[in-house]
Amino acid sequence: MAAIEINFDGLPGPTHNYSGLAEGNLASERHKSLASNPRQAALQGLAKMKALADRGFVQAMLPPHERPDVAALRALGFSGDDAQVLSGAARSAPQLLAACSSAAAMWVANAATVSPSADTADGRAHFTPANLVSHFHRSLEAPTTTRVLRAIFADDRHFTVHDALPSVPQFGDEGAANHTRFAAAAGAPGIELFVYGRAGFDTAAHAPRRFPARQTREASEAVARRHALAPERTLYAQQHPDAIDAGVFHNDVVAVGSGSVLFCHERAFVEQETVLRALRDSVGASFTPLVVSEREVSLQRAVATYLFNSQLLARADGGMVLVAPAECREDAAVSTLLDRLVSDGGPIREVLTFDLRQSMQNGGGPACLRLRVALTAAERKAVPARIWLDERLHAELVAWVAKHYRDRLAPADLADPALLDESRRALDELSRLLRLGSVYPFQRV
Ligand code: SUG
């Protein structure tokens, strides 16, 4: 049965803020301490989901996580009641409070690596939640992500949700942001490309100098083994260390692929020609690389506009839509490139742009905000949760955001115990709305 690729978008949570937590992510570093607008962040995300659903793309969503993560602060030695834990952390370790308050779970491209049932030996769709060990604030996501995925993909006739890989730097795993699946035809077994930034057990090999490489080759290989992928349909490539040093902390900042198309910068991968040749051999003659030269758009511009952090969506007529950040139309060179892509008769027939500035200022564009899961009709039917975005769910979510979210959050507000209460109340209501069961720590005590 033919599967269709479904975008599960992460929803920014009520504590969305700018804390400069992500080294090597230039937008996060630049916007540190800016006041945020969580309500606008959530509404911008919902507007993208709604617009794509209205165009006939099946759209789903994933919920925010519980933040501030009081349990994580307690594990770090802060004590007393919840309000005292927050005020103690604010006083003596504001960076830890910020880390434990991050709404970074919205970038669900990092939630997990997903292999659809057409690719795996046992015919089930496999999920490995990412351990995200490269940054403390993101490493907190794995347990809730695992519970949420197990609530949605609960039916073990169709799905396997693994545990995250061991949480050590040698197995640094950032999920689908470093993973691309190609398939020449819908329903055909895919070619899965795993992209890593460094070797976990051989630190001498080709590493970036300035910024950390988050994904290790060993992590990618372990995920491929667990998912029981056919070795002849599994490829590995290394991110170019220069790209990481230019701010490409995840491969999806410099490349996006879908179907038979790869849209990337010419400086995305080490030995890029070899990678493209291997993809052509595996995907077949229909493989279409759209490689942008440094001369046309520099790596620096690509990072500044997030050109490649776009979604490539297949329309019913076979053409593709590129879903790009609004920033791409504000840069003359990038905007010209987008027009050229549409006019030159290639696979991209249309470009849509969205204002996702609240997320973008933390380094999260359209592609970061979504996790792709290819599902057959039977697999979709086996999902008990109400996560499919239709007119009604969208309206309910917009009302829910209006009811619970603040429109301004400054760094000092993270210690406000009322924010914790508001956030828990909101998530309690949301988990009922989405029929997820008790996925949050505060619901489980
Ligand atoms: O891990 N930003 C996230 C952005 C993730 C983008 N995802 C993908 N490229 N797939 C990160 O760097 C910033 C949080 C802060 O600074 O407050 C942050 O975590």
Side-chain angles (χ1 to χ4, degrees):
M1 201 181 325
I4 54 169
E5 187 181 281
I6 298 167
N7 286 282
F8 283 69
D9 275 47
L11 190 62
T15 62
H16 157 64
N17 73 94
Y18 301 113
S19 289
L21 298 171
E23 190 198 358
N25 168 344
L26 305 182
S28 150
E29 293 180 10
R30 190 167 333 114
H31 295 102
K32 178 177 165 89
S33 303
L34 191 80
S36 63
N37 184 336
R39 184 185 301 170
Q40 192 180 43
L43 294 177
Q44 287 174 346
L46 282 166
K48 170 167 89 82
M49 296 184 222
K50 172 77 163 52
L52 297 180
D54 285 349
R55 283 180 160 252
F57 296 108
V58 180
Q59 178 70 54
M61 55 89 65
L62 290 168
H65 291 192
E66 179 186 346
R67 295 291 181 274
D69 188 335
V70 178
L73 289 168
R74 288 186 190 283
L76 297 173
F78 298 100
S79 57
D81 61 21
D82 287 348
Q84 287 164 332
V85 167
L86 296 176
S87 64
R91 224 178 11 255
S92 67
Q95 272 304 91
L96 294 182
L97 176 60
C100 293
S101 302
S102 173
M106 74 176 87
W107 299 298
V108 293
N110 306 117
T113 306
V114 185
S115 297
S117 51
D119 299 358
T120 64
D122 66 3
R124 294 191 178 95
H126 283 244
F127 300 75
T128 292
N131 59 28
L132 294 166
V133 286
S134 76
H135 289 80
F136 171 60
H137 71 290
R138 302 226 55 186
S139 70
L140 301 173
E141 295 169 32
T144 296
T145 296
T146 307
R147 279 195 298 274
V148 167
L149 291 178
R150 285 188 178 148
I152 297 174
F153 302 106
D155 189 332
D156 60 13
R157 287 170 308 164
H158 294 289
F159 311 116
T160 300
V161 179
H162 298 268
D163 289 332
L165 291 173
S167 291
V168 291
Q170 286 104 324
F171 287 109
D173 178 18
E174 301 271 324
N178 294 312
H179 173 255
T180 304
R181 177 175 187 266
F182 299 90
I191 303 301
E192 299 202 16
L193 171 68
F194 289 81
V195 182
Y196 59 92
R198 66 184 168 92
F201 289 84
D202 173 12
T203 44
H206 254 42
R209 281 177 234 272
R210 189 170 167 219
F211 292 136
R214 299 192 190 187
Q215 178 88 26
T216 69
R217 181 177 176 113
E218 289 82 349
S220 299
E221 289 168 344
V223 171
R225 266 192 304 272
R226 287 168 154 208
H227 293 194
L229 301 177
E232 66 279 12
R233 285 190 268 110
T234 307
L235 299 174
Y236 298 92
Q238 185 177 356
Q239 274 178 283
H240 205 297
D242 294 352
I244 296 177
D245 281 340
V248 181
F249 54 97
H250 290 133
N251 182 245
D252 68 3
V253 176
V254 85
V256 55
S258 183
S260 299
V261 179
L262 172 66
F263 176 47
C264 68
H265 195 270
E266 69 173 340
R267 295 168 69 200
F269 307 105
V270 170
E271 293 179 26
Q272 184 143 327
E273 282 309 312
T274 313
V275 174
L276 297 182
R277 228 174 300 121
L279 279 168
R280 180 178 300 281
D281 291 347
S282 307
V283 179
S286 64
F287 178 64
T288 311
L290 304 173
V291 181
V292 177
S293 69
E294 178 71 22
R295 203 161 35 84
E296 191 166 19
V297 174
S298 68
L299 198 50
Q300 186 238 331
R301 252 172 220 263
V303 172
T305 55
Y306 259 42
L307 164 64
F308 297 101
N309 198 255
S310 295
Q311 296 174 250
L312 261 180
L313 304 179
R315 296 196 308 206
D317 67 1
M320 287 188 134
V321 189
L322 189 80
V323 177
E327 283 77 354
C328 289
R329 285 296 185 191
E330 290 156 17
D331 180 291
V334 172
S335 189
T336 304
L337 166 80
L338 292 178
D339 292 338
R340 175 178 76 68
L341 285 173
V342 174
S343 63
D344 73 2
I348 297 176
R349 307 270 170 79
E350 187 184 1
V351 174
L352 292 176
T353 58
F354 288 93
D355 177 0
L356 297 163
R357 261 171 246 276
Q358 285 291 322
S359 166
M360 283 285 285
Q361 292 181 151
N362 253 338
C368 302
L369 284 164
R370 62 96 170 90
L371 179 68
R372 290 179 283 185
V373 186
L375 295 173
T376 64
E379 289 163 350
R380 288 203 296 283
K381 261 220 208 100
V383 168
R386 182 182 171 225
I387 37 81
W388 312 110
L389 196 93
D390 55 15
E391 198 87 38
R392 243 188 72 206
L393 181 59
H394 174 262
E396 286 176 42
L397 290 171
V398 168
W400 171 83
V401 169
K403 177 174 165 197
H404 293 286
Y405 279 52
R406 297 188 186 187
D407 62 5
R408 186 174 192 283
L409 215 53
D413 297 325
L414 299 178
D416 179 0
L419 180 67
L420 174 66
D421 287 346
E422 288 162 27
S423 174
R424 285 179 174 165
R425 255 199 309 279
L427 296 184
D428 201 35
E429 199 174 308
L430 182 68
S431 60
R432 273 181 274 121
L433 206 91
L434 304 179
R435 296 190 210 120
L436 284 175
S438 300
V439 288
Y440 296 114
F442 73 88
Q443 296 174 315
R444 301 165 71 86
V445 286

